[in-house]
Coordinates of all heavy atoms in Angstrom, one line a residue:
W27 N -16.8 0.6 9.4 CA -15.8 0.0 10.3 C -15.8 0.3 11.7 O -15.2 -0.3 12.5 CB -14.4 0.3 9.7 CG -14.0 -0.6 8.6 CD1 -14.2 -0.5 7.3 CD2 -13.8 -2.0 8.8 NE1 -13.9 -1.6 6.6 CE2 -13.5 -2.6 7.5 CE3 -13.4 -2.8 9.9 CZ2 -13.1 -3.8 7.3 CZ3 -13.0 -4.1 9.6 CH2 -12.8 -4.7 8.4
V28 N -16.7 1.2 12.1 CA -16.9 1.6 13.5 C -17.4 0.4 14.2 O -17.0 0.2 15.4 CB -17.9 2.8 13.6 CG1 -18.2 3.1 15.1 CG2 -17.2 4.0 13.0
H29 N -18.2 -0.4 13.7 CA -18.8 -1.6 14.4 C -17.9 -2.6 14.6 O -18.1 -3.4 15.5 CB -20.0 -2.0 13.5 CG -21.0 -1.0 13.4 ND1 -21.8 -0.5 14.4 CD2 -21.4 -0.3 12.2 CE1 -22.7 0.4 13.8 NE2 -22.5 0.5 12.6
N30 N -16.8 -2.6 13.7 CA -15.7 -3.8 13.8 C -14.6 -3.4 14.7 O -13.6 -4.1 14.7 CB -15.4 -4.1 12.4 CG -16.4 -4.7 11.6 OD1 -17.2 -5.4 12.2 ND2 -16.4 -4.3 10.4
Q31 N -14.5 -2.1 15.2 CA -13.4 -1.6 15.9 C -13.0 -2.5 17.1 O -11.8 -2.8 17.3 CB -13.6 -0.2 16.5 CG -12.4 0.5 17.1 CD -12.7 1.9 17.4 OE1 -13.8 2.4 17.3 NE2 -11.7 2.6 17.8
K32 N -13.9 -3.0 17.8 CA -13.6 -3.8 19.0 C -13.2 -5.2 18.6 O -12.5 -5.8 19.3 CB -14.7 -3.7 20.1 CG -14.8 -2.3 20.6 CD -15.8 -2.2 21.7 CE -15.8 -0.8 22.3 NZ -16.7 -0.5 23.4
T33 N -13.9 -5.7 17.7 CA -13.7 -7.2 17.3 C -12.4 -7.3 16.5 O -11.9 -8.4 16.6 CB -15.0 -7.7 16.5 OG1 -15.2 -7.0 15.5 CG2 -16.1 -7.7 17.5
C34 N -12.2 -6.4 15.7 CA -11.0 -6.6 14.8 C -10.2 -5.1 14.7 O -10.2 -4.5 13.8 CB -11.4 -6.8 13.3 SG -12.5 -8.3 13.2
P35 N -9.5 -4.9 15.9 CA -8.9 -3.5 16.0 C -7.8 -3.3 15.0 O -7.6 -2.2 14.5 CB -8.3 -3.5 17.3 CG -8.3 -5.0 17.8 CD -9.4 -5.6 17.2
N36 N -7.0 -4.4 14.6 CA -5.9 -4.1 13.7 C -6.5 -3.8 12.3 O -6.0 -3.0 11.6 CB -5.0 -5.4 13.6 CG -4.1 -5.5 14.9 OD1 -4.0 -4.6 15.7 ND2 -3.7 -6.6 15.2
L37 N -7.5 -4.7 11.9 CA -8.0 -4.7 10.6 C -8.8 -3.2 10.6 O -8.8 -2.6 9.4 CB -9.0 -5.8 10.3 CG -9.6 -5.8 8.9 CD1 -8.5 -5.9 7.9 CD2 -10.4 -7.1 8.9
H38 N -9.3 -2.9 11.6 CA -10.0 -1.6 11.7 C -9.0 -0.5 11.4 O -9.4 0.4 10.5 CB -10.7 -1.4 13.0 CG -11.3 -0.1 13.3 ND1 -10.5 1.1 14.0 CD2 -12.2 0.6 12.9 CE1 -11.2 2.1 14.1 NE2 -12.4 1.7 13.5
R39 N -7.9 -0.4 11.9 CA -6.9 0.6 11.7 C -6.4 0.6 10.2 O -6.2 1.6 9.7 CB -5.8 0.3 12.7 CG -4.5 1.3 12.6 CD -4.9 2.6 13.0 NE -5.0 3.6 12.0 CZ -5.6 4.8 12.1 NH1 -6.2 5.2 13.1 NH2 -5.7 5.5 11.0
M40 N -6.2 -0.7 9.7 CA -5.7 -0.7 8.4 C -6.9 -0.2 7.4 O -6.5 0.4 6.4 CB -5.4 -2.1 8.1 CG -4.2 -2.6 8.9 SD -3.8 -4.3 8.5 CE -2.6 -4.2 7.3
A41 N -8.1 -0.6 7.8 CA -9.1 -0.1 6.9 C -9.2 1.4 6.9 O -9.5 2.0 5.8 CB -10.4 -0.7 7.3
L42 N -9.2 2.0 8.0 CA -9.2 3.4 8.2 C -8.0 4.1 7.2 O -8.3 5.1 6.5 CB -9.1 4.0 9.5 CG -10.4 3.6 10.5 CD1 -10.2 4.2 11.9 CD2 -11.7 4.2 9.8
D43 N -6.9 3.6 7.4 CA -5.8 4.2 6.7 C -6.1 4.0 5.1 O -5.9 5.0 4.4 CB -4.4 3.4 7.0 CG -3.9 3.8 8.4 OD1 -4.3 4.8 8.9 OD2 -3.1 2.9 8.8
Y44 N -6.4 2.8 4.7 CA -6.7 2.5 3.3 C -7.8 3.4 2.7 O -7.7 4.0 1.6 CB -6.9 1.0 3.1 CG -7.1 0.7 1.6 CD1 -6.1 0.6 0.7 CD2 -8.4 0.6 1.1 CE1 -6.2 0.4 -0.5 CE2 -8.6 0.2 -0.2 CZ -7.5 0.2 -1.0 OH -7.6 -0.2 -2.5
L45 N -8.9 3.4 3.4 CA -10.2 4.1 3.1 C -9.9 5.6 3.0 O -10.7 6.3 2.4 CB -11.3 3.7 3.8 CG -11.7 2.3 3.6 CD1 -12.8 1.9 4.6 CD2 -12.2 1.9 2.2
S46 N -9.0 6.1 3.7 CA -8.8 7.6 3.8 C -7.9 8.1 2.6 O -7.7 9.2 2.4 CB -8.0 7.9 5.1 OG -6.7 7.5 5.2
I47 N -7.5 7.2 1.8 CA -6.7 7.5 0.4 C -7.7 8.2 -0.4 O -8.7 7.5 -0.8 CB -6.1 6.3 -0.1 CG1 -5.0 5.9 0.8 CG2 -5.3 6.8 -1.4 CD1 -4.4 4.5 0.4
P48 N -7.6 9.4 -0.8 CA -8.5 10.0 -1.8 C -8.6 9.2 -3.1 O -7.6 8.7 -3.7 CB -7.9 11.4 -2.0 CG -7.0 11.7 -0.9 CD -6.4 10.3 -0.5
E49 N -9.8 9.3 -3.7 CA -10.0 8.5 -4.9 C -9.3 9.3 -6.0 O -9.3 10.5 -6.1 CB -11.5 8.4 -5.2 CG -11.8 7.7 -6.4 CD -13.4 7.8 -6.7 OE1 -14.1 8.2 -5.8 OE2 -13.8 7.2 -7.6
N50 N -8.8 8.5 -7.0 CA -8.3 9.1 -8.3 C -9.3 8.9 -9.3 O -9.5 7.8 -9.7 CB -6.9 8.5 -8.4 CG -6.2 9.2 -9.7 OD1 -6.8 10.0 -10.4 ND2 -4.9 8.9 -9.8
N51 N -9.8 9.9 -9.8 CA -10.9 9.9 -10.9 C -10.4 9.9 -12.3 O -11.2 9.8 -13.2 CB -11.9 11.1 -10.6 CG -12.7 10.9 -9.4 OD1 -13.0 9.9 -8.9 ND2 -12.9 12.1 -8.8
R52 N -9.1 9.9 -12.5 CA -8.5 10.0 -13.8 C -8.7 8.5 -14.4 O -8.5 7.5 -13.7 CB -7.0 10.3 -13.8 CG -6.9 11.6 -13.3 CD -5.4 12.0 -13.4 NE -5.3 13.2 -12.7 CZ -4.1 13.6 -12.2 NH1 -3.0 13.0 -12.4 NH2 -4.0 14.7 -11.8
P53 N -9.0 8.4 -15.6 CA -8.9 7.1 -16.3 C -7.5 6.5 -16.3 O -6.5 7.3 -16.3 CB -9.4 7.3 -17.8 CG -10.1 8.7 -17.7 CD -9.4 9.5 -16.5
V54 N -7.3 5.2 -16.2 CA -6.1 4.5 -16.1 C -5.2 4.9 -17.1 O -3.9 5.1 -16.9 CB -6.3 3.0 -16.1 CG1 -5.0 2.4 -15.9 CG2 -7.2 2.5 -14.8
N55 N -5.7 5.0 -18.4 CA -4.8 5.2 -19.5 C -4.2 6.7 -19.5 O -3.3 7.0 -20.4 CB -5.5 5.1 -20.8 CG -6.7 5.9 -21.2 OD1 -7.1 6.5 -20.1 ND2 -7.0 6.0 -22.3
I56 N -4.6 7.6 -18.6 CA -4.0 8.9 -18.6 C -3.4 9.3 -17.3 O -3.2 10.4 -17.0 CB -5.0 10.1 -19.0 CG1 -6.2 10.1 -18.1 CG2 -5.3 9.9 -20.4 CD1 -7.1 11.4 -18.3
I57 N -3.2 8.2 -16.4 CA -2.4 8.5 -15.2 C -1.0 8.9 -15.6 O -0.3 8.2 -16.1 CB -2.5 7.3 -14.2 CG1 -3.9 7.0 -13.7 CG2 -1.5 7.5 -13.0 CD1 -4.1 5.9 -12.7
N58 N -0.6 10.1 -15.0 CA 0.7 10.6 -15.3 C 1.7 10.2 -14.2 O 1.4 9.6 -13.1 CB 0.7 12.1 -15.6 CG 0.1 12.9 -14.4 OD1 0.1 12.4 -13.4 ND2 -0.4 14.1 -14.7
D59 N 2.9 10.8 -14.3 CA 4.1 10.5 -13.4 C 3.6 11.0 -12.0 O 3.8 10.4 -10.9 CB 5.3 11.0 -13.8 CG 6.0 10.3 -14.9 OD1 5.5 9.1 -15.1 OD2 6.8 10.7 -15.6
R60 N 2.9 12.2 -12.1 CA 2.7 12.8 -10.8 C 1.5 12.1 -10.0 O 1.7 11.8 -8.7 CB 2.2 14.3 -10.9 CG 1.7 14.9 -9.6 CD 1.3 16.3 -9.7 NE 1.0 16.8 -8.4 CZ 0.4 18.0 -8.2 NH1 0.4 18.8 -9.0 NH2 0.1 18.2 -6.9
A61 N 0.6 11.6 -10.8 CA -0.5 10.8 -10.1 C 0.1 9.5 -9.5 O -0.2 9.1 -8.5 CB -1.4 10.5 -11.1
L62 N 1.1 8.9 -10.2 CA 1.8 7.7 -9.8 C 2.5 8.0 -8.6 O 2.4 7.2 -7.6 CB 2.6 7.0 -10.9 CG 3.2 5.7 -10.6 CD1 1.9 4.7 -10.4 CD2 4.0 5.3 -11.8
R63 N 3.3 9.1 -8.5 CA 4.0 9.5 -7.3 C 3.0 9.7 -6.2 O 3.3 9.3 -4.9 CB 4.9 10.7 -7.5 CG 6.1 10.5 -8.4 CD 7.0 11.7 -8.2 NE 6.5 12.9 -8.6 CZ 6.3 13.5 -9.8 NH1 6.9 12.8 -10.9 NH2 5.7 14.6 -10.1
D64 N 1.9 10.2 -6.4 CA 1.0 10.6 -5.3 C 0.4 9.3 -4.7 O 0.3 9.1 -3.5 CB -0.3 11.4 -5.9 CG 0.0 12.8 -6.1 OD1 1.2 13.2 -5.7 OD2 -0.7 13.5 -6.7
L65 N 0.1 8.4 -5.7 CA -0.3 6.9 -5.1 C 0.8 6.3 -4.4 O 0.4 5.8 -3.4 CB -0.8 6.1 -6.3 CG -2.1 6.6 -7.1 CD1 -2.2 5.7 -8.3 CD2 -3.3 6.4 -6.2
S66 N 2.0 6.4 -4.9 CA 3.1 5.8 -4.1 C 3.4 6.4 -2.7 O 3.4 5.7 -1.8 CB 4.4 5.9 -4.8 OG 4.3 5.2 -6.1
T67 N 3.1 7.7 -2.7 CA 3.3 8.3 -1.3 C 2.2 8.0 -0.4 O 2.5 7.6 0.7 CB 3.2 9.9 -1.7 OG1 4.2 10.3 -2.4 CG2 3.2 10.7 -0.3
R68 N 1.0 7.8 -1.0 CA -0.1 7.4 -0.1 C 0.0 6.0 0.4 O -0.2 5.6 1.5 CB -1.5 7.5 -0.8 CG -1.8 8.9 -1.0 CD -3.1 9.1 -1.7 NE -3.4 10.3 -2.1 CZ -3.4 10.7 -3.3 NH1 -3.2 9.9 -4.3 NH2 -3.6 12.1 -3.6
A69 N 0.6 5.0 -0.4 CA 0.9 3.7 -0.1 C 1.9 3.7 1.0 O 1.8 2.9 2.0 CB 1.4 3.0 -1.3
F70 N 2.9 4.6 0.9 CA 4.1 4.5 1.9 C 3.5 5.0 3.2 O 3.9 4.6 4.2 CB 5.2 5.2 1.4 CG 6.1 4.5 0.4 CD1 6.3 4.9 -0.9 CD2 6.7 3.2 0.8 CE1 7.1 4.2 -1.9 CE2 7.5 2.5 -0.2 CZ 7.7 3.0 -1.4
L71 N 2.6 6.0 3.2 CA 2.2 6.6 4.3 C 1.3 5.4 5.2 O 1.4 5.3 6.4 CB 1.2 7.7 4.2 CG 1.8 9.0 3.7 CD1 0.9 10.1 3.4 CD2 2.7 9.5 4.9
C72 N 0.5 4.7 4.4 CA -0.1 3.5 4.9 C 0.8 2.5 5.5 O 0.6 2.1 6.6 CB -1.1 2.8 3.9 SG -2.7 3.7 3.6
L73 N 1.7 2.2 4.9 CA 2.8 1.1 5.3 C 3.4 1.7 6.6 O 3.7 1.0 7.5 CB 3.8 0.9 4.2 CG 3.4 0.0 3.0 CD1 4.4 0.0 2.0 CD2 3.0 -1.3 3.5
G74 N 3.8 3.0 6.7 CA 4.4 3.5 7.8 C 3.5 3.5 9.1 O 4.1 3.2 10.0
S75 N 2.3 3.8 8.9 CA 1.4 3.7 9.8 C 1.2 2.2 10.4 O 1.2 1.9 11.6 CB 0.0 4.3 9.4 OG -1.0 4.1 10.4
W76 N 1.1 1.3 9.5 CA 1.0 -0.1 9.8 C 2.1 -0.7 10.6 O 2.1 -1.4 11.4 CB 0.6 -0.9 8.7 CG -0.7 -0.6 7.9 CD1 -1.7 0.2 8.5 CD2 -1.1 -0.9 6.6 NE1 -2.7 0.5 7.6 CE2 -2.3 -0.3 6.5 CE3 -0.5 -1.6 5.7 CZ2 -3.1 -0.4 5.3 CZ3 -1.2 -1.8 4.5 CH2 -2.5 -1.1 4.3
L77 N 3.4 -0.2 10.1 CA 4.6 -0.6 10.8 C 4.7 0.0 12.2 O 5.0 -0.8 13.2 CB 5.8 -0.1 10.0 CG 6.1 -0.9 8.7 CD1 7.2 -0.3 7.9 CD2 6.6 -2.3 9.1
R78 N 4.3 1.3 12.4 CA 4.4 1.9 13.7 C 3.3 1.3 14.6 O 3.6 1.3 15.8 CB 4.1 3.4 13.7 CG 5.3 4.2 13.0 CD 5.0 5.8 13.2 NE 3.8 6.2 12.5 CZ 3.7 6.3 11.2 NH1 4.7 6.3 10.5 NH2 2.5 6.8 10.7
C79 N 2.2 0.7 14.1 CA 1.2 0.2 15.0 C 1.4 -1.2 15.2 O 0.5 -2.0 15.7 CB -0.2 0.4 14.3 SG -0.6 2.2 14.3
D80 N 2.4 -1.8 14.6 CA 2.7 -3.2 14.7 C 1.6 -4.2 13.9 O 1.4 -5.3 14.4 CB 3.0 -3.7 16.2 CG 4.2 -3.1 16.7 OD1 5.2 -3.0 16.1 OD2 4.1 -2.8 18.0
L81 N 1.0 -3.5 13.0 CA 0.0 -4.3 12.1 C 0.8 -5.0 11.0 O 0.2 -5.9 10.4 CB -0.9 -3.4 11.6 CG -1.7 -2.6 12.6 CD1 -2.7 -1.6 11.9 CD2 -2.5 -3.5 13.5
L82 N 2.0 -4.7 10.8 CA 2.8 -5.2 9.7 C 4.3 -5.4 10.2 O 4.8 -4.5 10.8 CB 2.9 -4.3 8.5 CG 3.7 -4.6 7.3 CD1 3.1 -6.0 6.7 CD2 3.6 -3.6 6.4
A83 N 4.8 -6.6 10.1 CA 6.2 -6.9 10.6 C 7.2 -6.2 9.5 O 6.9 -6.5 8.3 CB 6.4 -8.4 10.9
P84 N 8.2 -5.7 10.0 CA 9.3 -5.2 9.1 C 9.8 -6.3 8.1 O 10.0 -6.1 6.9 CB 10.3 -4.5 9.9 CG 9.6 -4.2 11.2 CD 8.5 -5.2 11.3
E85 N 10.0 -7.4 8.8 CA 10.5 -8.6 8.0 C 9.6 -9.0 6.8 O 10.0 -9.4 5.8 CB 10.7 -9.8 8.9 CG 11.6 -9.5 10.0 CD 10.8 -8.9 11.3 OE1 9.7 -9.1 11.5 OE2 11.5 -8.0 12.0
D86 N 8.4 -9.0 7.0 CA 7.3 -9.4 6.0 C 7.3 -8.3 4.9 O 7.4 -8.7 3.6 CB 5.9 -9.3 6.5 CG 5.7 -10.5 7.6 OD1 6.5 -11.4 7.6 OD2 4.7 -10.5 8.3
L87 N 7.5 -7.1 5.2 CA 7.6 -6.1 4.2 C 8.9 -6.3 3.4 O 8.9 -6.1 2.1 CB 7.6 -4.6 4.8 CG 7.7 -3.5 3.8 CD1 6.5 -3.6 2.7 CD2 7.6 -2.3 4.5
I88 N 10.0 -6.4 4.1 CA 11.3 -6.7 3.3 C 11.2 -7.9 2.4 O 11.7 -7.9 1.3 CB 12.4 -6.9 4.3 CG1 12.7 -5.5 5.2 CG2 13.7 -7.4 3.7 CD1 13.5 -5.6 6.3
N89 N 10.6 -9.0 2.9 CA 10.4 -10.2 2.0 C 9.6 -10.0 0.8 O 9.9 -10.3 -0.2 CB 9.9 -11.3 2.9 CG 10.9 -11.8 3.9 OD1 12.1 -11.8 3.7 ND2 10.3 -12.4 4.9
V90 N 8.5 -9.2 1.0 CA 7.7 -8.9 -0.1 C 8.5 -8.0 -1.1 O 8.5 -8.3 -2.4 CB 6.4 -8.1 0.3 CG1 5.6 -7.5 -0.9 CG2 5.4 -9.0 1.1
M91 N 9.2 -7.0 -0.7 CA 10.0 -6.2 -1.6 C 11.1 -6.9 -2.4 O 11.3 -6.7 -3.5 CB 10.5 -5.0 -0.8 CG 9.5 -4.0 -0.2 SD 8.2 -3.4 -1.4 CE 9.4 -2.4 -2.4
K92 N 11.8 -7.9 -1.7 CA 12.8 -8.7 -2.3 C 12.1 -9.6 -3.3 O 12.6 -9.7 -4.5 CB 13.5 -9.6 -1.3 CG 14.4 -8.8 -0.4 CD 15.0 -9.7 0.6 CE 16.2 -8.9 1.5 NZ 16.7 -9.9 2.6
S93 N 11.0 -10.2 -3.1 CA 10.3 -10.9 -4.0 C 9.9 -10.2 -5.2 O 9.9 -10.6 -6.4 CB 9.0 -11.6 -3.2 OG 8.2 -12.3 -4.3
L94 N 9.3 -9.0 -5.0 CA 8.9 -8.1 -6.2 C 10.1 -7.7 -7.0 O 10.1 -7.8 -8.2 CB 8.2 -6.8 -5.7 CG 6.8 -7.1 -5.0 CD1 6.4 -5.8 -4.4 CD2 5.9 -7.7 -6.2
K95 N 11.3 -7.5 -6.4 CA 12.5 -7.2 -7.1 C 13.0 -8.2 -7.8 O 13.4 -8.1 -9.1 CB 13.6 -6.6 -6.0 CG 14.7 -6.1 -6.7 CD 15.7 -5.5 -5.7 CE 17.0 -4.9 -6.3 NZ 18.0 -4.4 -5.2
K96 N 12.9 -9.5 -7.4 CA 13.4 -10.7 -8.0 C 12.3 -11.0 -9.2 O 12.9 -11.3 -10.4 CB 13.3 -11.9 -7.1 CG 13.7 -13.2 -7.7 CD 13.6 -14.4 -6.7 CE 14.0 -15.6 -7.4 NZ 13.8 -16.7 -6.6
R97 N 11.1 -10.9 -8.9 CA 10.1 -11.0 -10.1 C 10.3 -10.1 -11.2 O 10.3 -10.4 -12.4 CB 8.7 -10.9 -9.6 CG 7.7 -11.3 -10.7 CD 6.3 -11.1 -10.2 NE 6.1 -11.8 -9.0 CZ 4.9 -11.5 -8.2 NH1 4.1 -10.6 -8.6 NH2 4.8 -12.1 -7.0
K98 N 10.7 -8.9 -10.9 CA 11.0 -7.7 -11.9 C 12.2 -8.1 -12.7 O 12.2 -8.0 -14.0 CB 11.1 -6.4 -11.3 CG 11.4 -5.3 -12.3 CD 11.5 -4.0 -11.6 CE 11.6 -2.8 -12.6 NZ 11.9 -1.5 -12.1
R99 N 13.2 -8.6 -12.0 CA 14.5 -9.1 -12.8 C 14.2 -10.1 -13.7 O 14.8 -10.3 -14.9 CB 15.6 -9.4 -11.8 CG 16.3 -8.3 -11.2 CD 17.5 -8.7 -10.6 NE 17.2 -9.8 -9.5 CZ 17.4 -9.6 -8.2 NH1 17.8 -8.4 -7.7 NH2 17.0 -10.6 -7.5
E100 N 13.4 -11.1 -13.2 CA 13.1 -12.3 -14.0 C 12.3 -11.8 -15.3 O 12.5 -12.4 -16.5 CB 12.3 -13.3 -13.2 CG 13.1 -14.0 -12.2 CD 12.3 -14.8 -11.2 OE1 11.0 -14.7 -11.3 OE2 12.9 -15.6 -10.4
D101 N 11.4 -10.9 -15.0 CA 10.5 -10.4 -16.2 C 11.4 -9.8 -17.2 O 11.2 -9.9 -18.4 CB 9.4 -9.5 -15.7 CG 8.3 -10.3 -15.0 OD1 8.3 -11.4 -15.0 OD2 7.5 -9.6 -14.3
E102 N 12.3 -9.0 -16.8 CA 13.2 -8.3 -17.7 C 14.2 -9.1 -18.4 O 14.5 -9.0 -19.6 CB 14.0 -7.2 -16.9 CG 13.2 -6.0 -16.4 CD 14.0 -5.1 -15.5 OE1 15.2 -5.5 -15.0 OE2 13.5 -4.1 -15.1
S103 N 14.5 -10.3 -17.8 CA 15.6 -11.1 -18.5 C 14.7 -12.0 -19.6 O 15.4 -12.5 -20.6 CB 16.0 -12.2 -17.5 OG 15.1 -13.1 -16.9
V104 N 13.3 -12.1 -19.5 CA 12.5 -12.8 -20.5 C 12.5 -12.0 -21.7 O 12.4 -12.5 -22.8 CB 11.2 -13.3 -19.9 CG1 10.4 -13.8 -21.0 CG2 11.2 -14.2 -18.8
M105 N 12.5 -10.7 -21.5 CA 12.2 -9.8 -22.6 C 13.4 -9.7 -23.4 O 14.3 -9.8 -23.9 CB 11.9 -8.4 -22.1 CG 10.6 -8.3 -21.5 SD 10.2 -6.7 -21.0 CE 8.5 -6.7 -20.6

């Protein structure tokens, strides 16, 4: 991403944040609560960085979260 820093500075910053998340080598079927919390923490750190750098609009994040919450309620009502 060093070569793309000048042509795509926002995407460069996001790529660095995302690619800096350590890999989780555990098989998916044995990911435990702690591993899930660790992944969530890393995701929130990326989101925080992107919000501070104006790479992500707060309104967009709020809309996505509302949409996910609505979809979860709909899925639960089907069950």
Side-chain angles (χ1 to χ4, degrees):
W27 276 98
V28 172
H29 304 294
N30 296 322
Q31 183 175 6
K32 291 185 181 187
T33 57
C34 305
N36 292 344
L37 189 56
H38 172 261
R39 178 73 250 161
M40 294 174 95
L42 289 180
D43 287 339
Y44 181 78
L45 294 172
S46 67
I47 298 172
E49 181 182 358
N50 185 344
N51 291 324
R52 295 181 191 161
V54 173
N55 61 342
I56 61 168
I57 290 181
N58 59 22
D59 288 340
R60 179 175 177 185
L62 190 56
R63 282 193 309 270
D64 290 347
L65 290 172
S66 296
T67 300
R68 291 185 191 106
F70 282 118
L71 288 172
C72 282
L73 287 173
S75 174
W76 299 344
L77 286 165
R78 283 190 302 280
C79 294
D80 293 327
L81 301 176
L82 176 66
E85 305 81 36
D86 292 340
L87 180 58
I88 291 168
N89 289 335
V90 168
M91 296 306 293
K92 285 180 180 179
S93 174
L94 290 173
K95 189 174 182 180
K96 180 181 176 185
R97 186 181 311 160
K98 183 179 178 183
R99 279 193 308 250
E100 290 170 352
D101 289 347
E102 289 172 351
S103 69
V104 171
M105 292 180 166

